[in-house]
Amino acid sequence: MKLDEYDLKILETIQKDGRITKTKLAEKINLSPSPTWERLKRLEDGGVISGYYGRVNLKNIVPVTTVMVEVVLKRHQIGDFKRFEDAVTSAPEVVECLAIGGGIDYLMRIMTSDIDNYQRIMDSLLEDDIGIDKYFTYIVTKPIKNLCSIPISNLTDKTTANRP
């Protein structure tokens, strides 16, 4: 899908305010409401916009501990990766899992009530025998930067915006 400067402005704007009205969005990107709506619909239909979310500050509701976990698998066959990925996909406390190139296989972000519960989660994953060889735990003591938006303007330029 070809994106122009208006499309990029729409994407940057709705990342910051997913509840913005179409009229305000049109004003913000300096385009009339009808073409803005058509562009937004095209971005949604094309899968560029995959959804709209509300950001919840869990610490205002319940105590929460965030843990980053590096995981190395015992074996590296396709079935081993699939078994691990299926297991962590179904674990609700694993809120993010990334396959990593280099010395580790995965980096997970786990959100849980406390360290004891985190250890129970890891013990359960180990008992399920999903192929974990070793894991390294890092307790998040203070979030420094946590953006929900992607820096589109930093990742694109005029040639990128016009690529098919």
Side-chain angles (χ1 to χ4, degrees), residues 72-81 83 105 131-133:
V72 177
L73 298 183
K74 294 175 191 169
R75 298 174 6 146
H76 295 93
Q77 303 301 314
I78 291 173
D80 301 313
F81 293 120
R83 184 173 61 239
D105 296 314
I132 297 174
D133 183 28

Side-chain angles (χ1 to χ4, degrees), residues 140-156:
V140 175
T141 58
K142 177 173 74 170
I144 305 301
K145 184 175 183 179
N146 184 6
L147 295 178
C148 287
S149 60
I150 301 165
I152 295 171
S153 60
N154 294 350
L155 297 174
T156 60

Side-chain angles (χ1 to χ4, degrees), residues 71 81 84-85 88 96-102 104-108:
V71 175
F81 293 120
F84 176 82
E85 291 170 11
V88 298
E96 185 173 24
C97 182
L98 305 166
I100 305 288
I104 62 170
D105 296 314
Y106 294 96
L107 180 62
M108 298 189 302

Side-chain angles (χ1 to χ4, degrees), residues 23-134:
T23 305
K24 291 272 188 205
L25 177 60
E27 288 173 16
K28 192 114 173 149
I29 69 165
N30 202 24
L31 198 62
S32 62
S34 213
T36 300
W37 165 247
E38 289 171 16
R39 286 172 177 272
L40 184 62
K41 186 78 172 124
R42 181 176 56 87
L43 292 167
E44 291 171 345
D45 292 344
V48 175
I49 298 171
S50 59
Y52 298 88
Y53 309 92
R55 188 171 186 170
V56 177
N57 187 349
L58 283 177
K59 290 192 183 256
N60 288 339
I61 303 169
V62 296
V64 64
T65 298
T66 303
V67 182
M68 303 301 291
V69 184
E70 294 178 347
V71 175
V72 177
L73 298 183
K74 294 175 191 169
R75 298 174 6 146
H76 295 93
Q77 303 301 314
I78 291 173
D80 301 313
F81 293 120
K82 181 165 180 19
R83 184 173 61 239
F84 176 82
E85 291 170 11
D86 288 347
V88 298
T89 299
S90 66
E93 300 88 355
V94 179
V95 296
E96 185 173 24
C97 182
L98 305 166
I100 305 288
I104 62 170
D105 296 314
Y106 294 96
L107 180 62
M108 298 189 302
R109 181 165 50 108
I110 296 176
M111 297 186 77
T112 185
S113 57
D114 56 37
I115 300 303
D116 289 337
N117 196 48
Y118 158 73
Q119 192 58 57
R120 283 192 292 279
I121 294 163
M122 288 308 299
D123 290 345
S124 175
L125 291 173
L126 292 168
E127 286 173 11
D128 289 345
D129 195 25
I130 59 172
I132 297 174
D133 183 28
K134 48 188 163 178

